[in-house]
Amino acid sequence: MKPLHIHFVTRRPRFLAAAMVVVLLLALSAGAWLEWRARAARADVQKQMAELNANIRGALEVRKPEGSPQAEPPWVQEADATLRHDWNRLMGGLEGIVLPGVRLLSVQAGTYPDQVRVEYQLDGWTRVAELSYALNHMKASSGHWSLISVGASNSQTSSSPGIRAVWER
């Protein structure tokens, strides 16, 4: 028979298991600390963004000077009246004038809607009276049209002979 050999199993040191637990706890605490820092950084960024947005809104806000309220300059009032005016009525009336040999060349509006100048090209002198009558009797016109100038057309081409006339109201 063979001699019996007994082998004793040695235990692993407990400090290895304890070291693994300590490393795991350190890793968890480091992760928690990093998450806390990230949340704090996000909160700081959000606070700074809110302050910047408030500063931008404040800078874009139109502020009136302190003291007595000043009236708007006249040109602002004139421009406002011009922009709010319904020009379709006037243009519809001008486009509604249909006379043979008469062609609308330009419409110039003044600062107020009542100041309008129109220029026409006419094929003859007799059309001046006809067009004056048509302008002063169109339904869309609220004022009196006055003839400002009449003259020969400056065009050198034969396709546009005649005269040019300007009315104003």
Side-chain angles (χ1 to χ4, degrees), residues 27-39:
L28 287 175
S29 64
W33 182 78
L34 289 175
E35 177 65 24
W36 175 77
R37 287 297 299 150
R39 284 185 186 177

Short mmCIF file of all heavy atoms in Angstrom, two decimals, residues 27-39:
data_model
loop_
_atom_site.label_atom_id
_atom_site.label_comp_id
_atom_site.label_asym_id
_atom_site.label_seq_id
_atom_site.Cartn_x
_atom_site.Cartn_y
_atom_site.Cartn_z
N ALA A 27 -14.66 52.90 -5.71
CA ALA A 27 -15.18 53.14 -7.06
C ALA A 27 -16.61 53.70 -7.00
O ALA A 27 -16.95 54.65 -7.73
CB ALA A 27 -15.13 51.86 -7.87
N LEU A 28 -17.44 53.14 -6.13
CA LEU A 28 -18.81 53.64 -6.00
C LEU A 28 -18.84 55.06 -5.45
O LEU A 28 -19.60 55.91 -5.93
CB LEU A 28 -19.63 52.70 -5.10
CG LEU A 28 -20.01 51.35 -5.70
CD1 LEU A 28 -20.70 50.48 -4.65
CD2 LEU A 28 -20.91 51.56 -6.90
N SER A 29 -18.01 55.34 -4.47
CA SER A 29 -18.00 56.70 -3.92
C SER A 29 -17.44 57.70 -4.94
O SER A 29 -17.92 58.83 -5.03
CB SER A 29 -17.22 56.74 -2.61
OG SER A 29 -15.85 56.41 -2.84
N ALA A 30 -16.44 57.30 -5.71
CA ALA A 30 -15.90 58.19 -6.75
C ALA A 30 -16.97 58.46 -7.82
O ALA A 30 -17.14 59.59 -8.29
CB ALA A 30 -14.66 57.57 -7.38
N GLY A 31 -17.73 57.44 -8.19
CA GLY A 31 -18.81 57.63 -9.16
C GLY A 31 -19.89 58.56 -8.64
O GLY A 31 -20.39 59.43 -9.35
N ALA A 32 -20.25 58.38 -7.35
CA ALA A 32 -21.26 59.25 -6.75
C ALA A 32 -20.76 60.69 -6.67
O ALA A 32 -21.51 61.64 -6.95
CB ALA A 32 -21.63 58.74 -5.36
N TRP A 33 -19.48 60.86 -6.32
CA TRP A 33 -18.91 62.21 -6.25
C TRP A 33 -18.89 62.87 -7.63
O TRP A 33 -19.22 64.04 -7.77
CB TRP A 33 -17.49 62.15 -5.67
CG TRP A 33 -16.87 63.49 -5.52
CD1 TRP A 33 -17.09 64.40 -4.54
CD2 TRP A 33 -15.91 64.08 -6.40
NE1 TRP A 33 -16.35 65.53 -4.75
CE2 TRP A 33 -15.61 65.36 -5.90
CE3 TRP A 33 -15.28 63.66 -7.56
CZ2 TRP A 33 -14.71 66.21 -6.54
CZ3 TRP A 33 -14.39 64.50 -8.19
CH2 TRP A 33 -14.11 65.77 -7.67
N LEU A 34 -18.52 62.12 -8.67
CA LEU A 34 -18.51 62.66 -10.04
C LEU A 34 -19.92 63.04 -10.50
O LEU A 34 -20.12 64.07 -11.15
CB LEU A 34 -17.88 61.66 -11.01
CG LEU A 34 -16.36 61.47 -10.87
CD1 LEU A 34 -15.88 60.36 -11.80
CD2 LEU A 34 -15.64 62.77 -11.18
N GLU A 35 -20.90 62.21 -10.16
CA GLU A 35 -22.29 62.53 -10.52
C GLU A 35 -22.75 63.80 -9.80
O GLU A 35 -23.41 64.66 -10.37
CB GLU A 35 -23.20 61.35 -10.16
CG GLU A 35 -24.67 61.61 -10.41
CD GLU A 35 -25.00 61.79 -11.89
OE1 GLU A 35 -24.26 61.30 -12.74
OE2 GLU A 35 -26.03 62.47 -12.15
N TRP A 36 -22.40 63.95 -8.54
CA TRP A 36 -22.76 65.15 -7.79
C TRP A 36 -22.11 66.38 -8.41
O TRP A 36 -22.75 67.41 -8.54
CB TRP A 36 -22.32 64.97 -6.33
CG TRP A 36 -22.54 66.20 -5.50
CD1 TRP A 36 -23.72 66.64 -4.99
CD2 TRP A 36 -21.56 67.16 -5.11
NE1 TRP A 36 -23.55 67.81 -4.29
CE2 TRP A 36 -22.21 68.16 -4.36
CE3 TRP A 36 -20.19 67.26 -5.33
CZ2 TRP A 36 -21.54 69.24 -3.83
CZ3 TRP A 36 -19.54 68.35 -4.79
CH2 TRP A 36 -20.22 69.32 -4.05
N ARG A 37 -20.84 66.31 -8.80
CA ARG A 37 -20.14 67.42 -9.45
C ARG A 37 -20.80 67.77 -10.79
O ARG A 37 -20.93 68.93 -11.14
CB ARG A 37 -18.66 67.10 -9.67
CG ARG A 37 -17.83 67.10 -8.42
CD ARG A 37 -17.75 68.44 -7.73
NE ARG A 37 -17.16 69.43 -8.61
CZ ARG A 37 -17.44 70.73 -8.57
NH1 ARG A 37 -18.29 71.19 -7.68
NH2 ARG A 37 -16.88 71.56 -9.39
N ALA A 38 -21.21 66.75 -11.55
CA ALA A 38 -21.84 66.99 -12.85
C ALA A 38 -23.18 67.71 -12.66
O ALA A 38 -23.50 68.65 -13.41
CB ALA A 38 -22.04 65.67 -13.60
N ARG A 39 -23.95 67.30 -11.68
CA ARG A 39 -25.22 67.98 -11.41
C ARG A 39 -24.99 69.43 -10.97
O ARG A 39 -25.71 70.34 -11.38
CB ARG A 39 -26.00 67.24 -10.33
CG ARG A 39 -26.65 65.99 -10.83
CD ARG A 39 -27.51 65.35 -9.78
NE ARG A 39 -28.02 64.07 -10.26
CZ ARG A 39 -28.74 63.27 -9.53
NH1 ARG A 39 -29.06 63.60 -8.30
NH2 ARG A 39 -29.16 62.13 -10.04
#
